[in-house]
Amino acid sequence: QVQLAESGGGLVQAGGSLRLSCAASGRSFSSYAMGWFRQTPVKEREFVAAISGSGGTTYYADSMKGRFTISRDNAKNTMYLQMNSLKPEDTAVYYCAANQVITARGSAYDYWGQGTQVTVSS
């Protein structure tokens, strides 16, 4: 069992940057693959990025490649999402999740945080 808590969301203008954090409590954090997902009231949950337990493997949705970077610091039990060149369509609630194996399928993840709001103005 792990508990996840996102932070770092807020309001930014188009073209700006934001860094999200996901703090995990529980043992064996490095054994979990982690993922970021996002959702809006008019759009279903969407995969953003994922990272293996060691940090050696990463996946990105095509629209995020080159703009977003996922990373983790296992010594701090924390995962990060660095978001650059933000667009209004990036506006959403961003969730972090944990799973035994790295995957882009949200339904496969066992643990979820409560989400943090990201709003990008134009």
Side-chain angles (χ1 to χ4, degrees):
Q1 288 282 337
V2 296
Q3 291 79 45
L4 306 174
E6 303 92 338
S7 62
L11 275 69
V12 296
Q13 62 181 350
S17 297
L18 208 59
R19 180 173 176 258
L20 305 183
S21 298
C22 175
S25 62
R27 60 190 180 96
S28 301
F29 175 69
S30 64
S31 70
Y32 289 96
M34 303 290 293
W36 286 101
F37 297 80
R38 66 188 188 186
Q39 189 169 15
T40 72
V42 297
K43 191 176 182 179
E44 294 183 353
R45 184 175 60 197
E46 177 185 25
F47 171 72
V48 175
I51 187 168
S52 62
S54 68
T57 302
T58 57
Y59 294 159
Y60 294 93
D62 287 342
S63 62
M64 286 76 168
K65 290 180 180 178
R67 299 193 300 125
F68 291 7
T69 302
I70 188 171
S71 62
R72 66 192 296 161
D73 186 342
N74 287 342
K76 296 181 178 180
N77 279 19
T78 303
M79 177 183 63
Y80 306 96
L81 183 68
Q82 179 66 47
M83 303 185 292
N84 299 326
S85 301
L86 283 164
K87 307 172 182 179
E89 50 263 46
D90 294 319
T91 295
V93 177
Y94 283 71
Y95 298 89
C96 67
N99 190 44
Q100 292 182 346
V101 179
I102 186 170
T103 178
R105 273 179 52 223
S107 62
Y109 283 78
D110 296 316
Y111 308 103
W112 293 84
Q114 293 299 308
T116 185
Q117 176 71 47
V118 172
T119 303
V120 184
S121 64
S122 60

